[in-house]
Amino acid sequence: MSAHHHKETFVTKYLFSFDHKMISKQFLVTGMIMGVIGVLMSLLFRLQIAWPEHSFSIIEAFLPERFQSEAGVMKPDIYLALVTIHGTIMVFFVLTAGLSGTFSNLLIPLQIGARDMASGFMNCISYWMFFISSVIMVISLFVQAGPASAGWTIYPPLSALPQAIPGSGTGMTLWLVSMAIFIAQSLIGSLNYIVTILNLRTKGMTMTRLPLTMWALFVTAIIGVVSFPVLFSAALLLIFDRSFGTSFFLSDIFIGGEVLNYQGGSPVLFEHLFWFLGHPEVYIVLLPALGLTSEIISTNSRKPIFGYRAMIGSIMAIAFLSTIVWGHHMFVSGMNPFLGSVFTFTTLLIAIPSAVKAFNYITTLWKGNLQFNPAMLFSIGLVSTFITGGLTGIVLGDSALDINVHDTYFVVAHFHLVMGVSAIYGMYAGIYHWFPKMYGRMMNKTLGYVHFWITAIAAYGVFFPMHFIGLAGLPRRYYTNTNFPLFDDLANVNQVMTVFALIGGAAQIVFLVNFFMSIYKGKVATQNPWRSNTLEWTTPVEHIHGNWPGEIPEVHRWPYDYSKVDENGEYIFGEDYIMQTVPLKAGEQES
């Protein structure tokens, strides 16, 4: 492929493009739209939980009348529905697509030295399946009986019996159809990413010269291929139970005094199938964020990443261990205590490679020439929330301790910090850092600082106190706690958390304004604005088909040769960075 190829129409360039750079933008913008919907839902149910009997005009404006018990007050089952769809959208449609979909597509060909993905057609199909699944998920919000409301984990029998609650009807069916399509697109995308990294690396780009971003995206794709089919089977069997009278997850059910004709199924089987994806999903979301962070911290510390091979080892260890820890979500399901102790052991084991990553980030920052741009701040923020969120995972990973706080706000606080906030920080860091590569312009730095500091303070303002109300026993997913005098003293804490949530939600408007204004009005970017080493910064600022005009550059060194000096203490090439395409000097040792 050369830079000169046939003239593109609007449809072939912007809608059904095979170009990985355009597809990454499609994933990003779709993910951002879904993110706005997901965050808006969280703000609505935070208002409800903080001031249960209060009427809000925003609830009256956004929710149809049939979802309100009186003007501006949501019904209890709609509270659960909003929690369900918020969780689903944020985990799958924002974090999985916003990180893997956006940055795998943008960076894999650019950082390994390829003209495009192995299959542009599969890439295009993958995005449009994601788009269709997003549309179906949004449509499910508007069905008469209401959207799916069995929690984002959709445990049967609540999700398996259409007559169980209003949210078990058409909304639940649409949820399952949407997720089935989403899983299919994830598999297509993952296979494409794996094949591209294995087969299309440029000359000299050995696996140990790949940036850590590539290792993270590569291993993430492998985890997806291993674990997503299991959730697909769970969704398919649940559709059979709901629509075709089978009994995979149902047995001996009574509803309203009526005995239903279901025999031999087990709802716990569904839990096993769900969490076999559900836990690897945490790392499908986190590893790309950690990969982006590795690149950004090294570039903005002007130092080589500390422990490159240890970082690769930790990514692989996390990937392997993530598939054998799913039982820690099920300690209260009647599990054999011995099996619980096995899952406790494997769960505590995964803290080791996670700690390797955290220490290596801190060591890379240590005595570095730090450039505190917005991307760097979000990367450091990720390291902070990854550690604070990870520490509470030690409590939840221990079967004896978990039983006390299971299904309380302690769990919600833990996974929002370690998975939600950390991954979103990684996504923001990636957007600020690679925005010049995507759009050829720079984002506004001052607005970036405002966005970071308000978001960081608000995120801890919401999720730090949440640990304490969880330890006090406050259960999650209840739309009001006024019936329990025991929890009256915690009402003020919920109100403070909601105020922080509203402030944090407003801060994202700053980001959206910055993002869309910078596309058109931002300062025009230079070819390598961050003075970075990796291959994507050797491509021209204006996008061309095939990425490089003429030959693809050859790689001669690893991607982290920052501040490399000779025996006299002088920079080897007179700069504090050396591009991967620069050959080694006579007598120079490869790092």
Side-chain angles (χ1 to χ4, degrees):
M1 283 187 249
S2 72
H4 310 287
H5 81 302
H6 64 280
K7 185 95 176 72
E8 290 189 312
T9 64
F10 177 84
V11 171
T12 57
K13 185 172 181 184
Y14 293 105
L15 294 183
F16 300 108
S17 175
F18 286 6
D19 182 7
H20 68 99
K21 300 181 288 296
M22 181 55 66
I23 292 170
S24 77
K25 292 181 199 175
Q26 291 174 323
F27 267 108
L28 179 59
V29 172
T30 312
M32 281 162 62
I33 293 166
M34 295 300 278
V36 168
I37 296 169
V39 168
L40 187 62
M41 287 179 175
S42 68
L43 298 181
L44 291 177
F45 63 68
R46 280 301 329 164
L47 287 171
Q48 165 62 36
I49 194 74
W51 295 281
E53 304 306 324
H54 199 279
S55 171
F56 290 99
S57 51
I58 187 170
I59 289 178
E60 199 170 353
F62 278 104
L63 291 184
E65 222 172 280
R66 65 180 186 278
F67 294 165
Q68 300 173 45
S69 53
E70 54 187 270
V73 182
M74 70 174 69
K75 284 183 175 174
D77 52 343
I78 291 307
Y79 176 85
L80 183 56
L82 289 179
V83 171
T84 301
I85 305 294
H86 161 78
T88 307
I89 283 178
M90 297 309 282
V91 170
F92 295 109
F93 294 88
V94 179
L95 297 178
T96 308
L99 281 157
S100 273
T102 300
F103 292 103
S104 296
N105 277 308
L106 177 70
L107 295 178
I108 288 175
L110 290 173
Q111 287 198 342
I112 68 170
R115 294 286 184 203
D116 208 312
M117 283 289 183
S119 169
F121 175 70
M122 274 172 70
N123 221 6
C124 178
I125 291 284
S126 170
Y127 168 71
W128 281 103
M129 287 175 75
F130 168 67
F131 180 80
I132 290 165
S133 70
S134 303
V135 169
I136 293 171
M137 190 58 74
V138 171
I139 287 171
S140 79
L141 298 173
F142 299 100
V143 297
Q144 186 63 33
S149 43
W152 79 279
T153 54
I154 58 155
Y155 287 170
L158 205 54
S159 59
L161 296 169
Q163 67 270 49
I165 53 172
S168 296
T170 316
M172 188 71 242
T173 305
L174 289 171
W175 191 99
L176 288 165
V177 171
S178 170
M179 284 309 300
I181 297 169
F182 176 86
I183 293 162
Q185 75 80 19
S186 291
L187 286 170
I188 292 171
S190 295
L191 291 169
N192 211 0
Y193 307 150
I194 292 166
V195 171
T196 306
I197 291 175
L198 289 179
N199 291 344
L200 298 184
R201 301 190 308 281
T202 188
K203 190 176 178 191
M205 181 62 86
T206 58
M207 292 299 275
T208 48
R209 284 178 178 169
L210 286 173
L212 287 171
T213 317
M214 289 300 96
W215 273 103
L217 294 170
F218 175 58
V219 172
T220 300
I222 293 170
I223 303 174
V225 169
V226 169
S227 58
F228 263 122
V230 181
L231 182 65
F232 186 75
S233 66
L236 210 58
L237 297 182
L238 194 51
I239 289 170
F240 283 173
D241 272 13
R242 288 174 55 79
S243 307
F244 302 109
T246 56
S247 302
F248 291 107
F249 307 129
L250 294 169
S251 184
D252 307 319
I253 303 283
F254 293 77
I255 285 193
E258 180 197 351
V259 185
L260 301 184
N261 187 27
Y262 291 106
Q263 294 287 298
S266 166
V268 176
L269 168 62
F270 179 87
E271 290 187 43
H272 281 291
L273 294 175
F274 182 90
W275 287 115
F276 188 82
L277 162 92
H279 201 80
E281 172 65 24
V282 172
Y283 294 101
I284 289 171
V285 161
L286 256 180
L287 282 179
L290 293 169
L292 300 175
T293 296
S294 304
E295 189 64 38
I296 293 164
I297 284 181
S298 179
T299 300
N300 290 303
S301 301
R302 315 309 295 163
K303 271 180 68 183
I305 194 82
F306 183 85
Y308 174 78
R309 280 183 161 78
M311 290 291 250
I312 295 172
S314 69
I315 289 171
M316 291 175 150
I318 284 171
F320 170 68
L321 289 169
S322 77
T323 60
I324 54 169
V325 297
W326 78 91
H328 65 218
H329 297 269
M330 301 170 55
F331 286 144
V332 296
S333 66
M335 175 187 285
N336 182 315
F338 174 74
L339 186 59
S341 65
V342 172
F343 279 121
T344 297
F345 174 70
T346 56
T347 302
L348 297 181
L349 216 53
I350 210 167
I352 298 168
S354 302
V356 167
K357 296 193 84 61
F359 285 125
N360 284 7
Y361 289 138
I362 293 165
T363 318
T364 304
L365 291 165
W366 179 252
K367 292 190 174 176
N369 174 18
L370 305 183
Q371 323 284 308
F372 285 114
N373 50 43
M376 181 65 153
L377 289 175
F378 274 110
S379 297
I380 295 169
L382 181 152
V383 177
S384 164
T385 54
F386 186 58
I387 293 170
T388 48
L391 285 172
T392 54
I394 296 171
V395 175
L396 296 170
D398 189 314
S399 51
L401 299 175
D402 171 78
I403 287 168
N404 303 290
V405 287
H406 188 87
D407 256 346
T408 68
Y409 273 99
F410 190 85
V411 178
V412 181
H414 158 73
F415 76 74
H416 274 83
L417 273 183
V418 80
M419 178 168 107
V421 177
S422 299
I424 279 181
Y425 280 3
M427 186 165 87
Y428 281 143
I431 292 169
Y432 281 107
H433 188 76
W434 278 284
F435 190 87
K437 196 80 265 163
M438 294 179 94
Y439 293 102
R441 291 179 183 268
M442 306 294 285
M443 289 182 77
N444 183 300
K445 214 174 187 178
T446 310
L447 288 179
Y449 291 141
V450 171
H451 175 218
F452 170 74
W453 285 110
I454 299 177
T455 303
I457 293 163
Y460 272 130
V462 174
F463 298 116
F464 199 71
M466 200 179 272
H467 289 93
F468 298 104
I469 63 172
L471 287 171
L474 196 70
R476 63 194 282 204
R477 294 184 180 153
Y478 283 25
Y479 95 117
T480 175
N481 300 295
T482 45
N483 292 338
F484 306 100
L486 165 74
F487 299 131
D488 285 351
D489 293 342
L490 303 178
N492 307 349
V493 187
N494 252 326
Q495 288 164 5
V496 169
M497 281 157 48
T498 299
V499 169
F500 274 116
L502 292 166
I503 294 168
Q508 308 323 302
I509 298 170
V510 176
F511 166 74
L512 292 171
V513 168
N514 191 0
F515 182 87
F516 288 107
M517 276 185 61
S518 299
I519 291 174
Y520 301 104
K521 300 274 176 67
K523 192 178 117 198
V524 175
T526 55
Q527 186 177 21
N528 188 0
W530 314 117
R531 301 178 15 258
S532 191
N533 293 346
T534 42
L535 278 183
E536 74 268 32
W537 305 107
T538 62
T539 62
V541 177
E542 55 288 340
H543 288 175
I544 59 168
H545 198 73
N547 297 333
W548 286 270
E551 292 294 306
I552 297 178
E554 187 178 335
V555 169
H556 297 280
R557 57 180 72 234
W558 79 319
Y560 299 108
D561 269 339
Y562 291 104
S563 304
K564 194 171 187 182
V565 292
D566 57 21
E567 58 273 13
N568 305 319
E570 301 285 328
Y571 290 134
I572 288 187
F573 288 94
E575 290 271 14
D576 66 353
Y577 71 104
I578 310 168
M579 303 290 283
Q580 281 191 282
T581 51
V582 176
L584 294 171
K585 263 189 173 178
E588 183 193 345
Q589 290 289 314
E590 185 169 1
S591 302

